[in-house]
Amino acid sequence: MPPRLPTSSDFPNITFTSTPPPPTTPHLSNILLLLHGLGDSHAPYTSLGKQLNLPETAVLSIRAPNPLPFDIGGFHWGDDVIFDAGGGLDPDAGFKKAAEVLREVVAGLIEKCGWKEREILLWGVGQGGMVAFLAGLQVVAGEGEGEGGAAVKGSGSGKGSAGYSSKALPELGGIVSLGGPLPSGMALGSGAKKLRTPVLVCGGTVESQVPDEKIQRVESCFEFVEKARWRRKRDGMPRSRDEMLPIMKFLARRLRSKAGVPEGSVEAG
């Protein structure tokens, strides 16, 4: 069946908004999942989905499952609220519940709404980028050992450890992480092949959460990794055309298009 936008009845326990593709592009060929950062919400990303104006691409902005305590406001993806040595919130706080949310969303997109794995992309900011790596893969591959023992396995540290079958894993459209490193509980098991979903990691040149050594960890799990360094402190959302350009180039290469394809054609392979 042709893909469709999900409705609230598809995911009754998940808060999200959906944005259809621009009216100038009637085909529906891709869906981009936006995952906000720690302490944020899905609402601002609904506006981002409209501003991106990506051809033939619907956008789903998903709210993290857990509200921050103490009436701080905002939501987070972690299983716990953990403070780091400096008194700030540690984003690497376990993602078991977040993995369940993303598993339900991606499985529902495929089974209920007619999407293929290759047509699903993820864009995560900060902690949302970590979830895009961890949960975005888990919901497609499922938990446990893959055939031949090739698996991505958690460290068992209590930070959302789980298994990821690299052999069974279909290729997603892509993952964009803005300042989100690989979760500490994610690493390739012995003999596992690197995962083929293309990745773009963006971050600042100073005080970034994704310094070169953390990008090397991403490269140890994913076969195709690009990085973009912004000439500023810290990470966050892109603030200029120059910062947005590598993201748009990445998406342009990964987004599918049915423009010019005769109606009724069947994709081979």
Side-chain angles (χ1 to χ4, degrees):
M1 63 178 175
R4 64 169 175 84
L5 276 172
T7 65
S8 57
S9 62
D10 293 314
F11 312 120
N13 300 316
I14 297 171
T15 301
F16 69 94
T17 57
S18 61
T19 303
T24 54
T25 58
H27 298 290
L28 192 55
S29 306
N30 313 277
I31 188 162
L32 176 64
L33 312 185
L34 298 180
L35 311 177
H36 64 78
L38 194 162
D40 208 339
S41 179
H42 66 303
Y45 292 80
T46 303
S47 300
L48 172 63
K50 297 176 181 178
Q51 293 167 0
L52 287 172
N53 201 38
L54 297 171
E56 301 184 40
T57 303
V59 180
L60 214 62
S61 179
I62 303 170
R63 196 186 74 184
N66 304 313
L68 285 172
F70 315 123
D71 295 323
I72 296 174
F75 296 83
H76 70 105
W77 297 97
D79 294 330
D80 299 299
V81 175
I82 301 174
F83 293 91
D84 59 25
L89 293 174
D90 184 352
D92 198 358
F95 300 109
K96 183 177 180 180
K97 189 170 182 179
E100 293 172 355
V101 169
L102 266 293
R103 184 186 300 112
E104 181 177 349
V105 170
V106 174
L109 289 175
I110 295 168
E111 297 168 7
K112 299 178 182 180
C113 304
W115 293 93
K116 299 177 182 178
E117 291 88 347
R118 174 61 180 79
E119 298 166 338
I120 301 171
L121 298 91
L122 296 104
W123 169 319
V125 180
Q127 192 181 51
M130 302 176 78
V131 174
F133 285 133
L134 188 62
L137 295 172
Q138 184 186 46
V139 290
V140 177
E143 296 188 31
E145 288 285 339
E147 293 181 20
V152 181
K153 303 196 71 177
S155 64
S157 62
K159 291 192 173 185
S161 60
Y164 300 82
S165 165
S166 61
K167 187 171 183 179
L169 180 65
E171 178 183 339
L172 295 175
I175 295 172
V176 177
S177 177
L178 309 184
L182 205 69
S184 61
M186 183 176 177
L188 279 176
S190 177
K193 295 179 180 179
K194 290 185 179 182
L195 304 166
R196 293 184 56 83
T197 297
V199 169
L200 172 65
V201 182
C202 302
T205 54
V206 181
E207 298 180 18
S208 173
Q209 295 300 308
V210 284
D212 288 346
E213 58 268 23
K214 291 193 176 181
I215 292 181
Q216 289 172 3
R217 284 201 66 234
V218 178
E219 293 171 337
S220 72
C221 287
F222 292 86
E223 186 171 354
F224 308 109
V225 179
E226 302 176 38
K227 65 179 179 180
R229 283 291 176 207
W230 298 330
R231 296 180 180 178
R232 63 172 165 95
K233 286 185 177 181
R234 304 184 183 94
D235 308 313
M237 293 292 289
R239 302 174 185 171
S240 67
R241 181 183 182 277
D242 287 343
E243 292 181 359
M244 192 68 184
L245 189 59
I247 301 173
M248 297 308 292
K249 285 183 175 180
F250 178 83
L251 293 176
R253 291 194 302 271
R254 298 304 301 168
L255 293 176
R256 288 186 158 183
S257 175
K258 293 186 177 73
V261 179
E263 187 175 355
S265 296
V266 177
E267 180 180 1

